[in-house]
């Protein structure tokens, strides 16, 4: 175990998710947030949300709110950060600029960083000359490294444009990143130059601001995408210069589309909001994203949130890229829906969707549900096994809201109703169902009343039930007939049979 692992493991676990508010929260970022959240929960640690908004041209308050909404929908509650506070704030990088400036100036005072006055033209010329000489080291030539500190300070005080560069020890040797996913990753020392930590415009570079924040916030584990792996040796240099313990790094693989290329818009929806708006269940979505690179054991697919929060560990994270499979996401979503009680399905899926479609009036799902809970729960019980995505309930329920005025599907009518003998089917069904009173109007009694009729009429079940189903539901594809008629109610069901007679023969 490396010294950094020892340092990290000796301290209470503190992890952070630090998105840049330059757009929507994408699937890859959401998975990183899930892993950090789950790691904190599994280790009784602290999960911090920090807004890395130092890109002023693209970072907006609106985008920050989009990220916060997405995090809340995912159910990833943070212990410190926006709207929550904490002892290590502020949690927006733009509010921490003085902190970065003081940290950089202290490094200069300690001889671990220095002012650099090289112009962009001078840097370009030096790089070109190093390339022409075929130097093994072609980075910054450390031109300003040995300027007398007092002279450098005089030039700064005189207003001369400058940056601040880290002073990488010349005898540092190779940088070995002890990565919890990839193992030890070695970066050769000669690839490290005295890189800039503060720009001439007075803003910190990403590699500096991130490390100052992570060290001051006591971050023990940095779990992030492996596109950041190349930044890590520079960041380790900053930790060492600050005299701060290096956290344990865990770089997780990228998510690929089905074609093996990095997941992007060409593969379909990429932002969390798009999946929310498409009707996915947040628990199912978190479950699916967690499986993109992590496994509980090897074959368990349904991992509820509480199990994830208890069992997540970095040693079960794969270094291989994961492929986003929409069919698997849909299957997992269906499993979550089917595991719900009828009441939960009604309140979280059915009623909100019916309200959104304008079939139910109201603004509060609980209040609408309370008007006829048994009716909604019966509908839920028959739709649940037939639903993969919440919005699908709308088309499957629409026939219940037509009253007597059924909207017939022409193809279904031609195939099932406009055939010889069907008028007798509807009349027989009407007579049998008419004998049931309102109190006895339930699926079991309805099914029992209809069951002997096909044989008595000298036809088969498919023809008989096909005609009745289209007469009642307008379509040959509908939920089970007995429950459908119970939901319609006695008066509407009998009236629909009568109104369909002109379509039958």
């Amino acid at each position: 175990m490396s010294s950094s692992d020892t340092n990290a493991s000796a301290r209470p676990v503190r992890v952070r998710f630090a998105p840049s508010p330059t757009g929507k929260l994408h699937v890859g970022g959401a998975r990183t947030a899930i892993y950090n959240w789950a790691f904190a929960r599994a280790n009784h640690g602290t999960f911090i949300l920090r807004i890395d908004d130092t890109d002023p041209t693209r970072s907006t308050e609106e985008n920050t709110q989009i990220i916060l909404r997405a995090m809340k929908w995912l159910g990833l509650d943070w212990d410190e950060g926006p709207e929550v506070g904490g002892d290590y704030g502020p949690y927006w990088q733009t509010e921490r600029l003085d902190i970065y400036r003081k940290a950089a100036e202290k490094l200069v005072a300690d001889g671990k960083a220095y002012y650099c006055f090289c112009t962009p033209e001078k840097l370009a010329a030096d790089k070109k000359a190093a390339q022409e000489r075929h130097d093994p080291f072609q980075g910054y030539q450390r031109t300003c490294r040995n300027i007398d500190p007092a002279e450098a300070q005089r030039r700064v005080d005189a207003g001369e444009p400058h940056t601040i560069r880290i002073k990488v020890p010349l005898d540092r040797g190779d940088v070995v990143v002890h990565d919890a996913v990839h193992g030890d990753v070695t970066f050769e020392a000669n690839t490290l130059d005295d890189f800039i930590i503060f720009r001439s415009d007075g803003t910190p570079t990403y590699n500096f601001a991130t490390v100052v924040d992570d060290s001051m916030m006591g971050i023990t584990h940095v779990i992030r995408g492996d596109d950041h792996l190349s930044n890590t040796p520079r960041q380790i240099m900053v930790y060492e210069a600050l005299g701060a313990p290096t956290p344990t790094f865990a770089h997780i693989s990228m998510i690929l589309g089905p074609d093996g290329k990095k997941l992007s818009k060409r593969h379909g929806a990429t932002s969390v909001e798009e999946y929310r708006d498409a009707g996915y269940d947040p628990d199912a979505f978190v479950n699916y994203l967690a499986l993109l690179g992590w496994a509980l054991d090897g074959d368990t697919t349904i991992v509820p949130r509480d199990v994830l929060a208890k069992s997540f560990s970095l040693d079960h994270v794969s270094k291989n890229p994961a492929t986003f499979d929409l069919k698997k996401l849909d299957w997992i979503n269906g499993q979550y829906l089917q595991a719900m009680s009828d009441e939960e399905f009604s309140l979280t899926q059915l009623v909100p969707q019916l309200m959104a479609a304008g079939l139910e009036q109201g603004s509060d799902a609980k209040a609408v549900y309370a008007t006829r809970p048994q009716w909604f729960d019966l509908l839920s019980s028959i739709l649940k096994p037939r639903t993969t995505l919440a919005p699908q309930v709308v088309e499957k329920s629409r026939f219940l809201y037509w009253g007597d005025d059924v909207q017939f599907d022409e193809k279904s009518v031609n195939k099932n109703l406009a055939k010889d003998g069907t008028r007798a089917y509807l009349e027989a069904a009407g007579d049998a169902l008419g004998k049931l009173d309102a109190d006895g109007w339930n699926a079991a009694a309805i099914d029992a009343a209809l069951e002997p009729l096909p044989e008595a009429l000298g036809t088969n079940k498919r023809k008989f039930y096909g005609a009745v189903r289209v007469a009642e539901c307008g379509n040959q594809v509908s939920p089970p007939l007995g429950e459908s008629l119970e939901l319609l109610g006695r008066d509407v069901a009998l009236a629909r049979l009568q109104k369909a007679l002109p379509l039958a023969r």
Side-chain angles (χ1 to χ4, degrees):
M1 184 179 276
S2 73
S3 60
S4 65
D5 290 337
T6 308
N7 289 338
S9 59
R11 298 182 284 159
V13 163
R14 289 175 62 81
V15 295
R16 49 68 167 179
F17 175 56
S20 297
T22 55
K24 295 179 176 174
L25 180 60
H26 287 108
V27 165
R31 182 191 58 170
T32 299
I34 290 165
Y35 284 11
N36 277 280
W37 174 87
F39 186 76
R41 296 293 171 260
N43 290 280
H44 310 290
T46 302
F47 174 52
I48 299 158
L49 178 62
R50 188 175 75 221
I51 305 299
D52 283 8
D53 57 349
T54 48
D55 181 346
T57 56
R58 297 171 63 214
S59 299
T60 66
E61 172 59 24
E62 182 187 350
N63 286 338
T64 299
Q65 292 305 317
I66 287 171
I67 288 169
L68 297 185
R69 281 199 303 271
M71 292 288 286
K72 289 173 188 171
W73 180 76
L74 290 166
L76 304 179
D77 54 319
W78 54 97
D79 305 303
E80 296 177 24
E83 300 181 0
V84 176
D87 297 334
Y88 297 85
Y91 294 94
W92 284 263
Q93 284 194 329
T94 47
E95 294 179 17
R96 299 175 64 83
L97 294 176
D98 277 349
I99 294 171
Y100 308 136
R101 191 172 292 109
K102 285 174 184 166
E105 285 169 355
K106 184 174 187 309
L107 289 183
V108 172
D110 292 347
K112 294 179 177 177
Y114 58 91
Y115 296 117
C116 172
F117 305 94
C118 294
T119 63
E121 294 76 19
K122 160 89 171 135
L123 294 174
D126 285 352
K127 182 167 182 142
K128 187 179 178 195
Q131 288 170 339
E132 288 170 353
R133 290 193 305 267
H134 302 291
D135 283 1
F137 179 79
Q138 296 181 359
Y140 173 64
Q141 300 294 304
R142 301 188 169 100
T143 310
C144 298
R145 181 169 172 136
N146 297 315
I147 294 175
D148 178 76
E151 184 200 335
Q153 191 62 54
R154 277 195 301 274
R155 291 171 70 175
V156 169
D157 293 344
E160 188 172 342
H162 63 278
T163 59
I164 298 177
R165 290 181 181 272
I166 199 93
K167 193 181 278 187
V168 175
L170 297 178
D171 58 353
R172 172 59 178 77
D174 292 347
V175 180
V176 181
V177 179
H178 303 289
D179 193 278
V181 175
H182 294 271
D184 285 357
V185 182
T186 301
F187 292 86
E188 294 178 4
N190 64 11
T191 63
L192 286 175
D193 59 4
D194 291 356
F195 54 93
I196 293 172
I197 58 172
F198 236 79
R199 302 184 188 94
S200 57
D201 65 1
T203 60
T205 58
Y206 165 78
N207 283 326
F208 184 65
T210 290
V211 174
V212 170
D213 288 345
D214 287 349
S215 60
M216 292 185 77
M217 292 180 181
I219 300 303
T220 58
H221 296 75
V222 173
I223 305 167
R224 59 188 179 187
D226 63 8
D227 52 330
H228 286 287
L229 185 56
S230 59
N231 290 322
T232 308
R234 285 186 169 78
Q235 292 179 6
I236 288 174
M237 292 293 97
V238 178
Y239 280 107
E240 291 178 357
L242 292 171
T246 304
T248 297
F249 290 97
H251 288 93
I252 52 182
S253 63
M254 66 173 60
I255 300 173
L256 306 178
D259 58 0
K261 293 179 179 165
K262 188 176 178 182
L263 190 68
S264 67
K265 285 184 178 173
R266 71 172 176 276
H267 297 112
T270 56
S271 75
V272 169
E273 282 189 323
E274 288 173 283
Y275 287 95
R276 179 199 68 194
D277 295 345
Y280 286 91
D281 178 74
D283 288 338
F285 195 63
V286 167
N287 183 156
Y288 177 67
L289 290 189
L291 295 177
L292 291 178
W294 172 85
L296 181 63
D297 45 33
D299 44 37
T300 304
T301 307
I302 303 302
V303 184
R305 188 183 295 268
D306 58 334
V307 175
L308 177 66
K310 210 178 294 172
S311 309
F312 184 86
S313 67
L314 292 174
D315 56 4
H316 281 212
V317 174
S318 169
K319 65 176 75 169
N320 300 318
T323 301
F324 194 91
D325 181 349
L326 194 59
K327 285 182 181 166
K328 187 171 181 182
L329 169 60
D330 288 350
W331 181 84
I332 288 176
N333 202 72
Q335 295 298 303
Y336 270 80
L337 298 186
Q338 287 160 41
M340 291 179 179
S341 68
D342 292 341
E343 181 179 355
E344 185 186 1
F345 187 87
S346 295
L347 283 168
T348 65
Q349 314 293 322
L350 177 64
V351 175
Q353 292 294 333
L354 295 176
M355 287 165 56
L359 296 176
E360 289 288 345
Q361 305 305 310
S363 57
D364 178 42
K366 278 188 179 172
V368 171
Y369 173 74
T371 60
R372 43 180 180 165
Q374 288 174 308
W375 190 87
F376 285 118
D377 286 354
L378 174 59
L379 180 54
S380 287
S381 72
I382 60 176
L383 292 186
K384 256 193 313 183
R386 297 164 173 81
T387 304
T388 302
L389 265 180
Q392 294 168 350
V393 301
V394 173
E395 289 313 311
K396 292 182 167 81
S397 307
R398 201 177 285 281
F399 76 97
L400 297 168
Y401 292 85
W402 289 334
D404 295 350
D405 194 17
V406 178
Q407 294 177 25
F408 290 103
D409 169 59
E410 189 178 344
K411 188 177 170 187
S412 297
V413 170
N414 291 337
K415 191 175 177 184
N416 298 275
L417 208 48
K419 294 280 178 76
D420 291 338
T422 52
R423 186 180 182 88
Y425 304 163
L426 300 189
E427 289 171 342
D431 290 343
L433 294 174
K435 291 171 184 167
L436 299 176
D437 59 24
D439 291 338
W441 189 264
N442 58 64
I446 291 165
D447 286 338
L450 296 177
E451 201 267 335
L453 298 183
E455 190 176 341
L457 292 164
T459 187
N460 62 40
K461 287 184 178 181
R462 186 184 61 76
K463 289 179 180 175
F464 172 78
Y465 284 107
V468 174
R469 183 183 298 279
V470 174
E472 295 284 8
C473 309
N475 197 305
Q476 64 196 33
V477 182
S478 71
L481 190 59
E483 285 83 352
S484 296
L485 298 190
E486 180 179 341
L487 290 163
L488 282 170
R490 182 177 186 277
D491 293 347
V492 171
L494 293 174
R496 286 188 178 186
L497 287 171
Q498 281 297 314
K499 289 196 80 168
L501 285 174
L503 297 173
R505 291 184 195 161

